């Protein structure tokens, strides 16, 4: 099994083994070993295929995991702001950064099937429904409003946060993991924009000549963090 595993791990190991005769082995004793290795390798490959979970199960589990993660993220920052461990405006930006970054980080959990992107799209879709329901005040969710709004008004959910999850939804459906356009755009929107705020608000005393609300350091942080994130 270990030998077969090693042969699987490196495609050359099986070739090397079949060309060179190990010391102390007669051709007679060596031949069956070659045979066993060959059979073992294909058996392990067949076993791996047979025991792999069906794509639909894998994608279903990944969707559940990411949906629960999104819920936990918002709850965590609600608790942190409630206990005054994190400032409200900082909490909103951290949720902004982490939502996109962790969502992209969850993509490898999905299978390679053609339907995988639709499963992944369920996560921003559910979150957009959630923002609509609470933003329109059909129900109330204090935690969500506190974690992602500026002033604590439910209507605010229908602006920045809703546009944000709709961009995630669009990018997953159109670009998924296959195009760098999606990854770069989401990295800029989540990481770049979030870091521009976090750094710019604290250290951005020198403003851009054409926009007095934005600073040089904030804009530079946006490009650097967006670039680093998309290259990861
Ligand atoms: N290039 C940038 C972007 C942002 N900022 C800083 O981050 C703050 C928020 O910027 P932004 O994220 O663009 O604004 P919003 O999220 O729309 O607004 P809010 O201030 O309500 O968070 C700005 O006021 C500014 O201090 C900056 O210095 N340079
Ligand atoms: C505060 C926000 C934008 C305005 O600046 C972001 C709002 C985020 C949403 C309420 C939650 C979005 C969750 C993502 C769709 C999925 C995250 C999954 C991950 C595994 C945690």
């Amino acid at each position: 099994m270990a030998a077969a595993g090693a042969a699987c791990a490196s495609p050359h190991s099986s070739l090397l083994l079949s060309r060179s005769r190990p010391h102390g082995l007669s051709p007679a004793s060596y031949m069956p070993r070659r045979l066993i290795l060959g059979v073992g390798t294909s058996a392990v490959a067949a076993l791996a295929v047979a025991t792999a979970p069906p794509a639909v199960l894998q994608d279903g589990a990944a969707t559940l995991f990411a949906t629960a993660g999104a819920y936990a993220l918002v709850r965590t920052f609600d608790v942190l702001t409630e206990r005054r461990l994190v400032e409200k405006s900082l909490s909103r930006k951290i949720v902004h950064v982490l939502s996109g970054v962790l969502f992209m980080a969850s993509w490898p959990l999905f299978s390679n099937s053609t339907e995988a992107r639709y499963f992944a799209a369920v996560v921003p879709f559910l979150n957009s429904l959630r923002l609509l329901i609470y933003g329109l005040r059909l129900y109330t969710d204090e935690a969500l409003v506190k974690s992602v709004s500026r002033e604590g008004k439910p209507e605010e959910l229908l602006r920045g946060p809703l546009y944000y999850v709709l961009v995630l939804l669009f990018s997953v459906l159109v670009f998924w993991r296959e195009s760098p356009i999606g990854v770069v755009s989401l990295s800029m929107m989540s990481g770049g924009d979030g870091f521009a705020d976090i750094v710019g608000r604290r250290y951005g005393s020198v403003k851009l000549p054409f926009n007095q609300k934005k600073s040089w350091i904030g804009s530079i942080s946006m490009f650097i963090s967006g670039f680093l994130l998309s290259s990861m």
Side-chain angles (χ1 to χ4, degrees), residues 162-204:
L162 183 62
Y163 301 151
Y164 183 98
V165 290
L166 290 179
V167 171
L168 290 184
L169 180 62
F170 175 83
S171 181
V172 165
L173 290 175
V174 177
F175 302 114
W176 187 212
R177 307 178 282 220
E178 284 139 23
S179 164
I181 299 174
V183 176
V184 171
S185 328
L186 294 189
S187 301
M188 283 294 172
M189 179 182 79
S190 54
D193 184 60
F195 275 99
D197 180 309
I198 292 167
V199 177
R201 223 180 259 270
R202 275 158 192 74
Y203 310 105

Side-chain angles (χ1 to χ4, degrees), residues 65-71 73-74 91-93 95-100 102-103 106 123-125 127 130-131 144 147-149 160-162 164-165 168 193:
F65 180 78
T67 305
Y71 189 80
L73 179 69
V74 169
S91 156
R92 188 171 69 89
K93 279 296 162 179
V95 173
H96 176 111
V97 173
L98 290 181
S99 296
L102 294 180
F103 184 47
S106 75
V123 186
F125 177 71
N127 277 280
R130 194 177 169 203
L131 292 168
L144 180 67
S147 311
V148 306
S149 71
L162 183 62
Y164 183 98
V165 290
L168 290 184
D193 184 60

